[in-house]
Amino acid sequence: MRKLLFRDVEIESLKRELWMSENKQSRMTLVTGRSGVGKTLLAISVTEKATRLYFNLTDRPDKMMMSSFIEQVRLRLDAYVPQTVKTIPDLISFLFDLSQRKSFTLILDRFDEYVAKDMDACGELRKKWDETRFEGRLNLVVITRNPFVNRKLFSLYGSPFLNSLDCTILLKPFTSSQMKSITSFDGKPLKGEDLLALCMATGGLPELVDHCLSHGLLTKDAILEDFFSEDSVMIRYGEKMLSRILGRSREVYLSILMLVATGHLTQADIQSRIGGSNVGGHLLKLETEYGLLTKKRPLLASEDSRNVVRFSITDDFMLFWLRYVEGAREDYDTFRYDAMLENAKKDFKEFSKEPLRRYFTRILSEQQPSLEIGGDWKSGEAFDIDILALDRAAGKALVVDVEHDAGAFNKKAFLEKVSSLRNGSLKGLQIDSRLFTVADM
């Protein structure tokens, strides 16, 4: 089983809920987060020694899943499931009742994907949960990844499980500080392009970071060569991640993602490049339901400034995957992995600016949570500030230009931008201007 890195707080939370369910009453825990952050591994690891049922609510037919789940109940709980239990919601309700006589853990993985097809069943499950929870000894762990469905299940007025959760664990990719603490074989921290390649190729996703660590992929060349190999775990992971984008509009979603990944960041620009069709609904879904896009506005812009809103690919891994896998679809489909690798190596310096900007933005935010941090730009003007950090209480501002190396730094243009801010939006603040490069990682 993979090692759980940087999850001490979450492990203790799940251990506490397990103890409470065994000694007090039934408990419901939500473990949520995007694909690859280790939700299932966390839940399985913490409950490894407990009496446990694990229901993976996949896309298999219900009849097949029911047969497998009932066999688990028979073997692990030594319990007979009556023939009147015909559906998965029936079986879950039966287990709620059973928990009043037996103490056990029930993990419902991909619960959001399953109930999205039949939200009505949740109402009956909630009723049964309320009837049994105080006399029961069930450690119920619900695993989801879709924030949109989460809100419909647990947060919105009228949600079937509103106010039912005893504990919520939101798992995220590893932070920049955590990635920085990963060491090489000789115990020295990864630095420079090696650390940058690890961040770009994994996006800090524990599943992919673990793959690199367990296979000794701790240099830039080793990471890229593994990424663009015939049996690449990381290429397949990207395919799996995008498989959630279903329906007749799949091609539109992929077109939008590719445009954003290649620098077309505004809604107007995106619409003009895919035939003028309104893409507002697609952008909203990619942002709120799939979590693949993030909407940003300049740090110094007013809230009603719509014409300066930009979209970005949410994480480094998907940005890299879209540019060098989906963007090289012909090479990928004809198994020309060597050509894909060569292209990624050739573009490494130029492409690295955005992942570097994200890395340093996260580091600043993690070190000083009180800072207002973002970028700044103006619609239709060549005025981009890579990182702007404000400490209004102290009257200070940090303005940063991010480049792969000092050779790419245009000092004159950058100082002109700083001067414009000093005499304009940031007048009266003490401004510190910096250059961050890969050497500063």
Side-chain angles (χ1 to χ4, degrees), residues 21 26 51 73 76-80 95-105 135-139:
S21 70
S26 293
T51 301
V73 174
R76 297 177 187 177
L77 300 183
D78 191 24
Y80 168 74
L95 292 171
F96 287 175
D97 277 326
L98 185 64
S99 71
Q100 296 177 103
R101 304 189 299 278
K102 294 177 180 282
S103 176
F104 59 96
T105 290
E135 299 299 324
R137 294 292 183 270
L138 175 62
N139 178 35

Side-chain angles (χ1 to χ4, degrees), residues 4 15 19 36 109 128 195 208 215 249 308 334 366 368 403 436-437:
L4 285 165
K15 284 182 176 179
W19 184 91
D109 204 347
K128 180 62 70 174
L195 177 56
L208 301 183
H215 289 78
S249 299
V308 291
T334 54
E366 290 157 18
Q368 294 181 263
E403 303 293 346
F436 288 167
T437 71

Side-chain angles (χ1 to χ4, degrees), residues 224-237:
L224 292 180
E225 286 167 12
D226 182 80
F227 196 108
F228 297 104
S229 62
E230 187 172 353
D231 57 349
S232 172
V233 167
M234 292 181 273
I235 286 182
R236 288 200 306 272
Y237 180 82

Side-chain angles (χ1 to χ4, degrees), residues 300 388 390 397 399 421-431:
L300 299 176
L388 178 60
L390 301 179
V399 184
L421 289 171
R422 181 176 281 116
N423 296 316
S425 305
L426 301 183
K427 190 172 185 178
L429 296 185
Q430 180 183 336
I431 298 178

Side-chain angles (χ1 to χ4, degrees), residues 257 260-261 292-294 311-315 318-319 322 358:
L257 290 171
V260 175
L292 294 172
L293 288 185
T294 300
F311 291 89
S312 64
I313 304 298
T314 299
D315 71 271
M318 185 48 64
L319 177 62
L322 286 165
R358 297 176 184 214

